[in-house]
Amino acid sequence: HKISRGICMEEVTERTTEKSMSSGKTFRGKLAMSMFDRNIIKKWLSELVEGLLERLTLDYEEHQRLPKLLGLSIKLDGIGSSSKSTIAPHNLSKEAFLVTSMKLYQQFPIKKDGKIIGLTVTALNFHHIAMGENSIKAQLISQKAISSTQTQTSPSTRTQTSTARIHMKSDWKKRKETNLLNIWDKRQKNEKVCEKVHDTNRNKLQSHTQADNITCSPQTSDYRKNKEFGDGERNV
């Protein structure tokens, strides 16, 4: 009674964003389309997609969001409705949405006597898109700038890297040659020291042998003289 008089006691709440957006068309009687007539179906899908994109563009400007899924519903005369859905295009392009809608249409089983009396294109499962420096577009632009900078600086960087590797190889060869020379010099010095020690030991051995011969000869002659003298005394 109060509502009929324009009186409503419910609290006023903020308008929530739509969870889905649709654009549809009904074809009754002679306007019903055959499922084999792809050209007419594509024409009507193009008009439906265009109407849907107008709403999606306004919603994007106001709420900065895009749909994740795109659905197509077909109603056949005397059979009923059936739906298919897939991932929605990442940009609000009419061509991209039309191609996706036609791919969805091709997934429906074609019936000879099937008459299409209803087509509906639906965008759903919205998600927010970052704006400004955090937006996807800004990130793509920055990635392209970084890749172009790397491409421009890559030849000089490769030249510097190759030059550094050449210097490292040459330094390593020089160090290796120097180490080999040092090892060879040490071996030569050790061999000379060993020869000197061997000569010294040999000379010492010879000198000891000569000294022993000299000291032993007088002792032997004195011993013989003493023995002969003692024998002579005994005989006397």
Side-chain angles (χ1 to χ4, degrees), residues 188-201:
Q188 293 292 327
K189 289 180 181 179
N190 290 334
E191 289 179 358
K192 289 181 181 179
V193 171
C194 290
E195 289 179 357
K196 288 182 180 180
V197 172
H198 182 69
D199 293 339
T200 302
N201 292 333

Side-chain angles (χ1 to χ4, degrees), residues 56-75:
L56 291 176
T57 303
L58 292 175
D59 185 80
Y60 176 76
E61 293 175 354
E62 184 177 357
H63 302 291
Q64 292 80 45
R65 61 178 191 157
L66 291 174
K68 288 184 179 180
L69 297 177
L70 183 67
L72 176 63
S73 177
I74 297 178
K75 186 176 182 180

Side-chain angles (χ1 to χ4, degrees), residues 141-156:
I141 293 173
S142 62
Q143 289 178 359
K144 288 182 180 179
I146 293 171
S147 62
S148 63
T149 304
Q150 291 177 351
T151 304
Q152 292 175 0
T153 57
S154 59
S156 60

Side-chain angles (χ1 to χ4, degrees), residues 18-183:
E18 297 179 3
K19 295 182 179 180
S20 63
M21 295 183 187
S22 300
S23 177
K25 177 71 176 176
T26 302
F27 310 92
R28 297 188 181 277
K30 296 181 180 180
L31 296 177
M33 299 178 295
S34 171
M35 295 192 71
F36 291 95
D37 201 344
R38 291 174 56 88
N39 293 330
I40 296 177
I41 293 172
K42 185 176 181 180
K43 174 189 173 183
W44 282 110
L45 283 177
S46 178
E47 293 187 8
L48 295 177
V49 165
E50 186 175 357
L52 178 63
L53 285 176
E54 290 179 359
R55 298 178 61 189
L56 291 176
T57 303
L58 292 175
D59 185 80
Y60 176 76
E61 293 175 354
E62 184 177 357
H63 302 291
Q64 292 80 45
R65 61 178 191 157
L66 291 174
K68 288 184 179 180
L69 297 177
L70 183 67
L72 176 63
S73 177
I74 297 178
K75 186 176 182 180
L76 298 177
D77 187 16
I79 298 176
S81 299
S82 58
S83 301
K84 303 285 184 181
S85 63
T86 186
I87 298 173
H90 298 293
N91 56 347
L92 299 178
S93 169
K94 180 180 178 180
E95 182 180 359
F97 271 73
L98 179 58
V99 170
T100 305
S101 300
M102 288 300 296
K103 288 182 179 179
L104 288 173
Y105 172 73
Q106 292 175 1
Q107 295 179 11
F108 288 90
I110 298 177
K111 298 182 179 181
K112 296 181 179 180
D113 299 331
K115 293 290 183 178
I116 298 175
I117 59 175
L119 280 177
T120 304
V121 181
T122 305
L124 62 160
N125 197 3
F126 286 85
H127 67 288
H128 289 278
I129 303 297
M131 301 296 291
E133 295 180 355
N134 296 325
S135 64
I136 297 174
K137 184 177 181 180
Q139 291 179 3
L140 292 174
I141 293 173
S142 62
Q143 289 178 359
K144 288 182 180 179
I146 293 171
S147 62
S148 63
T149 304
Q150 291 177 351
T151 304
Q152 292 175 0
T153 57
S154 59
S156 60
T157 304
R158 291 175 182 173
T159 304
Q160 292 176 0
T161 304
S162 60
T163 305
R165 288 179 180 175
I166 291 170
H167 286 303
M168 289 176 65
K169 287 182 179 179
S170 61
D171 292 338
W172 181 79
K173 287 183 179 179
K174 288 180 180 179
R175 290 179 183 178
K176 187 176 181 180
E177 292 176 355
T178 303
N179 292 332
L180 291 174
L181 290 174
N182 292 333
I183 294 170

